[in-house]
Amino acid sequence: MLQNFLVCAGAVVPSAIYLIIGAILRASKVLGDRSVKKFTHVIFVALYPFLMFDNLYGKNLEEHMNAGLIIYAVAFTMFQLIASWFFVCRIEPDNYHRGAMIQALFRSNYVLMGLPIAINLFGKGNVTPIAVILLFVVPIYNSAAVIVFEYFRGGRVNIKDMLLHILTNPIIEGGLVALVFIILDIKLPDILQTTVTSLSDCTSPIALILLGAGLNIKSFKSDRTRIFICTAGKLIIFPAIGIAGAVLFGFRDVELVAITLMLATPVALASYAMASSMQGNGRLAGELVVISTALSCFTMPIWLFILKTAGLF
């Protein structure tokens, strides 16, 4: 049992260390809010496409394209959105707070924290199911967040702009390019493949360091009840329901871990920017990112430990 815990904790420790390095760089004033925001955007635009491409290219997608897994991931994400919307509207009377709370409950930092942990557990090249799920779930995260904030600020959703925003998302772009290469059976020269792999390998460490530098715990000023509800729902309640359902549907090994990390990773870093730019409570959204990220370093190993001990991966 101890060995199982060490394996699961060891998968999360590297991510936690990167976050701590980022926090140290912030405390030592090497990185500030402006530089973190700038470099995070650079990483998102310049490196995320290579990360997604590298995790799909060269793989036999027919082998990994489990329709049941994709349907479950999409269906549960939609369930999270609908259940969060209904629940938050029942307990929170102010539209200003509702958008940030709903988004926090369904939108995960799956790429930034889930993918590196899966690679630590199964090894690079063995986590294609996660990249496949990302192709379907990320567009839902983005479009649903736009709909949520537009609704609660009294605006109208521009479908054309929303679709353009989804298609120009670097994660989706990288995945679509990989699909084109796979379908047309295009082979990258070894030197280009090595370059792509190098860029992919450096993405998560740099992005996590920047995430750690961007977490400002001093900004914690919001209603503790809202934060408690959202973090408990995001890190405990929804994962418990979703993981139990995945087990009942027969998912095991990397597929079960893919669902677990989709559900148990913290609130997406992009939540803060989305809430701030769409007249929601940006401060609350930022605090939810900070608190959920810190707590997830403890809750994610526990979820993985439970599954490992049960012999499910």
Side-chain angles (χ1 to χ4, degrees), residues 210-266:
L210 290 171
L211 175 60
L215 300 180
N216 184 6
I217 197 66
K218 293 181 180 179
S219 69
F220 180 71
K221 299 176 182 178
S222 292
D223 188 340
R224 293 181 181 179
T225 301
R226 294 189 185 100
I227 293 175
F228 174 79
I229 290 171
C230 291
T231 52
K234 182 70 191 71
L235 301 179
I236 300 174
I237 297 173
F238 276 134
I241 298 171
I243 294 169
V247 172
L248 290 175
F249 275 100
F251 298 118
R252 297 292 185 272
D253 300 320
V254 68
E255 292 183 341
L256 179 58
V257 171
I259 293 294
T260 300
L261 294 175
M262 182 188 82
L263 299 173
T265 43

Side-chain angles (χ1 to χ4, degrees), residues 7 10-12 14-15 18 50-52 54-56 59 110-128 130-131 134 197 200-205 254 257-258 261 304:
V7 169
V12 179
S15 296
Y18 293 138
F50 293 103
L51 177 69
M52 192 67 175
D54 191 48
N55 280 279
L56 288 174
K59 307 300 187 299
Y110 193 20
V111 181
L112 195 55
M113 295 200 70
L115 197 53
I117 291 171
I119 291 173
N120 289 337
L121 282 173
F122 297 101
K124 189 174 180 182
N126 299 314
V127 294
T128 303
I130 293 182
L134 284 170
T197 300
S200 172
D201 289 344
C202 73
T203 302
S204 293
V254 68
V257 171
L261 294 175
L304 295 172

Side-chain angles (χ1 to χ4, degrees), residues 286-309:
E287 290 164 352
L288 288 168
V289 171
V290 172
I291 301 301
S292 65
T293 299
L295 293 178
S296 70
C297 292
F298 300 95
T299 56
M300 282 193 293
I302 292 173
W303 284 119
L304 295 172
F305 172 69
I306 292 172
L307 297 180
K308 185 72 173 176
T309 302

